[in-house]
Each structure stands twice: as structure tokens, then as C-alpha cells.
Amino acid sequence: MKKILATLSVFLMMITNVHAQELQAIKLNEPNKSRGSAVMKALSDRHSDREFDTKDISLQDLSDLLWAANGINRSDGKRTAPSAMNRQEIDLYVVRPDGTYLYEASNHSLKPIAKGDYRKDVAGGQDFAATAPLCIVLVAQLEKLGDPTHEQTRLIAAMDAGIVCQNINVFCSAAGLATVPRATMNKNELQKALHLSDTQLLTLNNPIGYPKK
């Protein structure tokens, strides 16, 4: 059984590499930790936007956003977002017009996952979400928390995803970005597009852009 699982894992990695081979990894900028408004001002200004400018998000804004969401903020590898038992099970997938990337906090970079525009699958029938320059999809690796089939595991994953999502919302408020937290998405299509296993749970997503003028 272990040999079969190992073979399947290698096969899935090969498929992922084929789908992402034309995309390049993106090294993000060093996060600017002095930017943005005060926390209370950001909370006061926080609101949901469903209209977005078509302008691409700058590399610096994307770098700062991802670090604020769930980046490493201490030398021991702990994150800006707390997680149950420090299991760090929440992954961030950045869905852009050119393709989808996985945020790797360890080296603050984006790893190519799949070529193509999957924003419509993130929108899941709510077309406004597909007009954002990018979407961040939160995926929980349930096996990091214990039994993936256990209700408590899923509840903890949902809680941790909510914390990361709130980091995204507060940063966007402070930095002048438009976003809205969502649970709607075409999970079946995204599961296939992102090459997710049965123990990787799609939880929440945030379409993100500059406010529409």
C-alpha cells in the first residue's frame, strides 16, 4: 500500500510540473513592515468591496499582502496568523490571469501550480469575483491537524482559515486595496485545477484589487 501511495504521489508531482512548466516562480519583495494605517484605523475603515479596478496589483503590494496574511514573522518560523498547535495547515493559492501559484512562506515566493485563468472557478457563479486582478484561495491541509474525516479537524481548519482571512481583510483596509471574504467557489473544478488531494480542504477566498474608480 505504501509503495502504491508513493507511486501516486510521484505521478501527481509529475502532472503538476507538466501543467506549471511554462510558469516561472515569483520571488516576492521583502515585506514593508512599516506601511499602512494604524490597526484601529484599519478596522474602522474595513468594508467589503465587490468592484475592482482592472489594474494589476504591484509586486510590492502582493508581497506585503501575502506576508501579512500568513508570512513568517519570527526566527523560529512562526507566522503572522496563529494556528491550532502551530500546525500551520493553511496554504494560500494566488489565482491570477496567467496561472495559479502557491505561496511558500519559508522563502517568501510563489511556486507555479497550474497555467491558465481559474478566476471564474473561484467566482463560482458570482461573476464580480472573476473581475478582480487576483484571488487568494485558502486551502487547509487537514492531515496536519489529525484525522481528516473528523468533524473537529474540519472545525479547527475553518477557524484557522478565518484568522488568515481576517489578516487579509485588515491588510487590504490599511493598504487601500479592495476585497471581500467569500466561501462560494466551484470546488470540484478547483480541486482538479490545483491538483489537491482529498485531505486538502478548500475553505475561503478573497478576490483582491485596487478600488474601482
Side-chain angles (χ1 to χ4, degrees):
M1 185 65 179
K2 289 184 178 179
K3 288 183 178 180
I4 294 174
L5 290 174
T7 301
L8 286 173
S9 296
V10 171
F11 181 67
L12 287 173
M13 288 176 65
M14 290 174 63
I15 292 176
T16 299
N17 289 336
V18 168
H19 280 275
Q21 63 184 352
E22 295 182 36
L23 297 175
Q24 299 296 317
I26 299 174
K27 180 61 180 174
L28 299 167
N29 294 350
E30 193 70 25
N32 178 0
K33 300 173 186 178
S34 63
R35 70 175 293 181
S37 62
V39 172
M40 295 299 281
K41 179 67 164 57
L43 290 170
S44 176
D45 292 343
R46 196 222 63 79
H47 63 280
S48 294
D49 280 312
R50 292 174 175 80
E51 292 186 305
F52 309 93
D53 194 290
T54 56
K55 177 184 175 184
D56 288 339
I57 292 178
S58 73
L59 183 61
Q60 189 64 57
D61 283 341
L62 179 58
S63 301
D64 293 349
L65 167 62
L66 293 172
W67 180 85
N70 202 20
I72 293 174
N73 66 352
R74 282 158 283 180
S75 59
D76 59 2
K78 292 182 178 178
R79 305 291 189 90
T80 57
S83 59
M85 301 170 286
N86 193 36
R87 295 298 170 84
Q88 300 181 7
E89 81 280 9
I90 303 300
D91 287 327
L92 279 65
Y93 287 80
V94 180
V95 182
R96 310 189 335 162
D98 64 324
T100 297
Y101 301 77
L102 173 64
Y103 175 54
E104 295 189 324
S106 59
N107 57 13
H108 195 55
S109 67
L110 290 174
K111 174 185 175 181
I113 295 297
K115 186 180 179 183
D117 189 350
Y118 296 100
R119 289 176 297 169
K120 285 187 177 180
D121 291 324
V122 178
Q126 296 181 341
D127 293 343
F128 75 87
T131 66
L134 64 84
C135 300
I136 295 181
V137 177
L138 306 184
V139 176
Q141 297 187 55
L142 296 178
E143 69 276 6
K144 286 189 174 183
L145 294 171
D147 183 354
T149 65
H150 200 284
E151 181 183 4
Q152 184 69 5
T153 300
R154 290 174 173 261
L155 286 173
I156 292 172
M159 175 187 72
D160 287 347
I163 294 170
V164 174
C165 183
Q166 182 69 335
N167 278 5
I168 292 172
N169 296 320
V170 173
F171 174 83
C172 286
S173 175
L177 293 171
T179 192
V180 56
R182 306 173 62 252
T184 299
M185 57 187 125
N186 189 334
K187 292 186 177 181
N188 289 335
E189 290 302 317
L190 284 175
Q191 192 88 15
K192 291 184 291 185
L194 305 185
H195 315 295
L196 301 179
S197 70
D198 291 339
T199 60
Q200 289 178 283
L201 179 66
L202 288 152
T203 58
L204 298 167
N205 67 82
N206 280 74
I208 297 169
Y210 296 111
K212 188 172 183 179
K213 297 176 181 179

